[in-house]
Amino acid sequence: MATITIDGKQYDADDTDNLLRVALSKGFDLPYFCWHPELHSVGACRQCAVKQYKDEDDTQGQIVMACMTPASDGSRFSVCDKEASDFRAQVIEWLMINHPHDCPVCEEGGECHLQDMTLMTGHTKRRYRGPKRTHRNQDLGPFINHEMNRCIACYRCVRYYRDYADGDDLRVLGSHSNVYFGRGSDGAFNSEFSGNLVEVCPTGVFTDKTLGAQYNRKWDMQNAPGICTHCSLGCNTSPGSRQGLLKRIQNRYHGEINHYFLCDRGRFGAGFVNRDDRPRQPLTRNAKGLLEPQDMDVILTQIKSAIAGANGVVGIGSPRASVEDNFALRHLVGAKNFYNGMSAPDSHASLAALTLLKAHASRLPTLRQVEECDAVFILGEDVTQTAPRLALSLRQSVRNRHYELAKAAKIPKWHSRAVRDEGQHFYSPLFMAVPAATRLDDVASDLSHMRPAMIARLGFAVAHVLDPSAPAPENLTDATRAQAETIAAALKSAKKPLIVAGTSLGSEAVLTAAGNVMRALESVHDDAGLFVTLQEANSLGMAMMADQDVDDALTAIETNRADTLVVMQNDLYERCPQSRVDAAIKKARHLIVLDHSMTATIAKADFVLPAGSFAEADGTLINNEGRAQRFFQVFIPDAPLQEGWRWCADIGRAVDQPVRWQGMDDLIDAIATDMPHLAGIKDAAPGQSFRKFGMRFPRSPHRYSGRTALYANVDVREKRPEVDPDSALAYSMEGYQGTETPPSLMSYAWSPGWDSNQAAITRFQDEIGGALKGGDPGVRLLSNGGAIPDYADADIKPVEGWQAIPRYHIFGSESQSAKAPAIQERMPRGAWFTLNEAGAKELGISAADTLRLTIGNEVHALPVTIDPSLPDRTIGVPVGAHGLMGVRLPAVVTP
């Protein structure tokens, strides 16, 4: 620690930090452009100038850049010094010479870092009257809009994109005062994390094109704390809405999970909420076999009759629905008749993941902690496609070697360019055993393409090398044994090793092998970590609620133990082969579906009840580390569309079932009573009655305008804001605005003088880049089971013959985001089977030929493309909306 003096007052500071970070943490309004907490310092913009003094006797001092100046013990600075202030004012005037001053039409207006800094430095009058430099803008695809004339050459965009996210198609072109930040040609960015340019850019050069298509100002949007629903990581988001339309998804800072960045699927995948083909009113099937609108009271009476005459009711939940919605369905049909909504392979893998996570509950790192790991072993997961934000964290983990070398050379971590120059191409080890090529291959130090069984065998071999008491698979080749020894040695010698596995391959053997490696690593290392990904946003929550899967539910119909299906926010055709689902639905007397999106299951339903999406409902999701997090309604949907749990309560009352809850707090209390292992969800966010100084917490910024004008065509009187009966949030701009807002209730980031999201958040952090004041949202539900688990048997045999394995794509494999128009533009154009050259030659086919493949009892035909990374006699099968749905993989197949 160090003691420094700023404007005559002493402060304690971390002597490894730079002055800018310290000053911002201490609450100083010090302007900056090129610096970013994750990108560190390059001293390019010259905007954070301060005066530094040698000692108490030095009255003249010298101007230094705060971002490039260490906060060393005894140092003395002045932020308010007139010479430093004048210097900052001159710099902002230089930077603004070529800026178009188009704030009234700029999408960034009202939340612009450049606006904040110009006002902070006092630059409120433009003196320059000469011609301005202009540029041609590029078409950067469906996600990002480009307006190069607004650029102030801070270099943040390329430093994030190339140095942090490892993208290669955003460049600096030109030189001197005529630089251009763009691609070599028009087209969408290659990186899956390009959307972060919208928030990284301090001006309006890169903006959200999906927002621009239906634009309104930040201060005219209603926001709420959200959780991304497109994978299991639980990234925090801030959805914004206006007049019942979801306008955008913005990053909501969480110090332990996503911190400043989202993946593109999480940022742009919510467009399904605004689709015109969503069910927005109750539907019943008429005598002609068509779904037609029905009044709420009538359809509840019809459903009451259907349930009363049923010979058993089956309730199928969903791993993409909230704990509350699933529990309400469970309560309606009874615990014995409730099924977790996952396919049998996914359910078994998720239950295996839950067991593994419980066994190592104290060793589960957050995404932020993943970045500190200096040796990583990935078993089976193509994380860029299945858990994208993890891939971005893993890209940071390989740079820990840079920081080690920099530390040895006495270079501070915050000195970005010097650290990279010292590190060069030396990276921390990343070992990957995966079925085929991935987007992380470029940073892998050791890469193997294997079938799932062989991945598991390698994992068992590594565990045996780490601890000879761990069982080893039989008949290991010399190459596999040598590879296992290399991986084990790196993990053992690392300061913070990490094991990564997941459920995407549907292989319990891979998870078991990961458990053995973790068990062995714990025996020789005190700081090892385990990171397990699951398929969907609430997969772990569903594994904690029920162990019966969709296959079990369909069996109940097939064996006449039940004849009525109630499905909550799920598409059965994604879970099981089409022929089996068709047969079960045909056999059932009634199919009742509660959902917010049109699906193939709805097309076969007798009754459809429109349920609220994440934007129209409150709820709790449990992420892959067992962290329960709450999301809140962004806007109130038009009746009769309502939350899934409210529909279940209405049906329960209609059939004279005792319903113990009237609102969200009552429902959560009921969950805690009936399922004590989920009782911790009560602490995920304050209850409905929570207030700060007697006030609720606003969903809208204090500048929210136009409430009267919005409804001028209806009534010129101001419409009274709705009262939220389920949370402490207000559908209004009135309420408590301050840094003591509980993080779980923080709808947006704003502080006086700091309007941009990534700048204002500094006022809500304990320290810059650290935890939020009051603690990061969410509560972990998993705790160690006590005894150290025994090693699992390593007896796994290689699969003979042809095997089909799943292939995922970040844009398309997840069904909800695949309905978003912007995502659809980035989805693969068509679906195809993939195999290597030897496999194609053996089958006598070439690229673009059609291959007929029998998977289970169904025949699928798709064109073929060649992927040399696949193992021999292995066929990659595209999964999801852009490929095949309901197939069981991996599987032995007949081509």
Side-chain angles (χ1 to χ4, degrees), residues 227-244:
I227 306 296
C228 182
T229 60
H230 303 309
C231 82
S232 66
L233 299 184
C235 294
N236 284 210
T237 63
S238 178
S241 72
R242 176 79 163 167
Q243 290 184 289

Side-chain angles (χ1 to χ4, degrees), residues 103-178:
C103 303
V105 297
C106 177
E107 292 93 333
E108 199 76 2
E111 56 182 351
C112 177
H113 188 76
L114 179 60
Q115 286 180 329
D116 290 346
M117 299 302 100
T118 53
L119 292 175
M120 194 175 293
T121 55
H123 177 62
T124 58
K125 182 179 180 181
R126 181 174 62 182
R127 295 188 295 170
Y128 178 70
R129 292 293 183 268
K132 292 179 179 284
R133 172 209 63 213
T134 59
H135 295 288
R136 183 186 71 83
N137 300 320
Q138 291 184 307
D139 180 358
L140 299 178
F143 296 161
I144 308 293
N145 191 56
H146 191 222
E147 180 52 71
M148 186 57 206
N149 292 326
R150 297 170 183 155
C151 182
I152 59 170
C154 72
Y155 286 80
R156 258 203 200 181
C157 58
V158 291
R159 289 173 55 225
Y160 159 75
Y161 193 85
R162 300 183 71 89
D163 298 347
Y164 191 89
D166 290 336
D168 61 1
D169 59 327
L170 175 62
R171 301 184 179 90
V172 185
L173 307 171
S175 62
H176 193 49
S177 61
N178 192 33

Side-chain angles (χ1 to χ4, degrees), residues 321-339:
S322 68
V323 171
E324 290 80 2
D325 283 349
N326 280 297
F327 177 81
L329 177 59
R330 179 181 182 270
H331 181 269
L332 176 65
V333 301
K336 294 182 179 179
N337 302 315
F338 177 72
Y339 300 80

Side-chain angles (χ1 to χ4, degrees), residues 802 833-846 849-853 864 873-875 893-895:
W802 288 89
F833 292 130
T834 53
L835 66 166
N836 64 19
E837 297 92 334
K841 185 176 181 180
E842 180 178 345
L843 296 177
I845 57 177
S846 303
D849 288 348
T850 297
L851 173 64
R852 294 176 64 82
L853 189 64
V864 166
R873 308 199 85 189
T874 303
I875 300 175
V893 295
T894 305

Side-chain angles (χ1 to χ4, degrees), residues 43-64:
C45 70
R46 322 305 291 171
Q47 183 62 80
C48 61
V50 297
K51 183 69 73 67
Q52 181 176 19
Y53 301 94
K54 295 179 181 178
D55 50 41
E56 294 180 359
D57 297 327
D58 183 5
T59 58
Q60 183 173 355
Q62 64 177 351
I63 290 179
V64 297

Side-chain angles (χ1 to χ4, degrees), residues 313-373:
V313 180
V314 165
I316 300 179
S318 172
R320 59 175 172 249
S322 68
V323 171
E324 290 80 2
D325 283 349
N326 280 297
F327 177 81
L329 177 59
R330 179 181 182 270
H331 181 269
L332 176 65
V333 301
K336 294 182 179 179
N337 302 315
F338 177 72
Y339 300 80
N340 61 28
M342 294 183 275
S343 68
D346 188 27
S347 178
H348 296 161
S350 297
L351 290 167
L354 175 60
T355 300
L356 185 58
L357 291 167
K358 284 182 176 178
H360 304 280
S362 62
R363 302 273 193 166
L364 308 180
T366 64
L367 281 179
R368 172 65 85 181
Q369 291 168 334
V370 165
E371 298 178 2
E372 300 169 359
C373 295

Side-chain angles (χ1 to χ4, degrees), residues 235-422:
C235 294
N236 284 210
T237 63
S238 178
S241 72
R242 176 79 163 167
Q243 290 184 289
L245 288 176
L246 189 66
K247 296 290 188 175
R248 71 170 176 189
I249 298 292
Q250 193 174 37
N251 183 70
R252 180 165 65 103
Y253 183 87
H254 191 293
E256 295 187 317
I257 305 180
N258 49 291
H259 38 283
Y260 293 94
F261 304 125
L262 298 173
C263 75
D264 285 355
R265 183 166 73 188
R267 188 180 293 274
F268 302 109
F272 70 91
V273 173
N274 296 333
R275 287 182 66 102
D276 293 333
D277 62 355
R278 282 186 57 189
R280 297 182 182 275
Q281 53 190 327
L283 304 172
T284 58
R285 195 165 297 280
N286 61 24
K288 296 181 180 179
L290 302 176
L291 288 173
E292 65 179 6
Q294 188 59 272
D295 290 338
M296 182 174 177
D297 292 341
V298 174
I299 198 170
L300 287 175
T301 300
Q302 293 173 339
I303 292 175
K304 174 183 177 180
S305 177
I307 292 178
N311 180 29
V313 180
V314 165
I316 300 179
S318 172
R320 59 175 172 249
S322 68
V323 171
E324 290 80 2
D325 283 349
N326 280 297
F327 177 81
L329 177 59
R330 179 181 182 270
H331 181 269
L332 176 65
V333 301
K336 294 182 179 179
N337 302 315
F338 177 72
Y339 300 80
N340 61 28
M342 294 183 275
S343 68
D346 188 27
S347 178
H348 296 161
S350 297
L351 290 167
L354 175 60
T355 300
L356 185 58
L357 291 167
K358 284 182 176 178
H360 304 280
S362 62
R363 302 273 193 166
L364 308 180
T366 64
L367 281 179
R368 172 65 85 181
Q369 291 168 334
V370 165
E371 298 178 2
E372 300 169 359
C373 295
D374 55 347
V376 181
F377 181 26
I378 300 177
L379 290 92
E381 286 298 295
D382 183 355
V383 295
T384 307
Q385 313 301 336
T386 60
R389 186 59 185 78
L390 172 59
L392 190 59
S393 289
L394 288 173
R395 288 188 176 277
Q396 312 322 308
S397 73
V398 301
R399 298 193 176 98
N400 280 300
R401 180 61 176 153
H402 290 187
Y403 298 129
E404 291 176 8
L405 295 172
K407 184 177 181 180
K410 298 184 178 180
I411 298 171
K413 183 177 180 178
W414 50 261
H415 201 314
S416 176
R417 189 71 263 169
V419 170
R420 293 185 67 84
D421 288 344
E422 184 69 21

Side-chain angles (χ1 to χ4, degrees), residues 405-475:
L405 295 172
K407 184 177 181 180
K410 298 184 178 180
I411 298 171
K413 183 177 180 178
W414 50 261
H415 201 314
S416 176
R417 189 71 263 169
V419 170
R420 293 185 67 84
D421 288 344
E422 184 69 21
Q424 294 293 322
H425 299 293
F426 297 98
Y427 293 105
S428 298
L430 171 62
F431 302 97
M432 296 176 59
V434 290
T438 77
R439 299 279 286 174
L440 279 179
D441 290 2
D442 60 310
V443 292
S445 54
D446 185 274
L447 180 63
S448 300
H449 296 144
M450 303 174 170
R451 289 182 174 190
M454 298 304 293
I455 294 171
R457 284 172 62 84
L458 176 60
F460 287 128
V462 171
H464 178 70
V465 175
L466 287 167
D467 182 357
S469 66
E474 297 178 354
N475 303 319

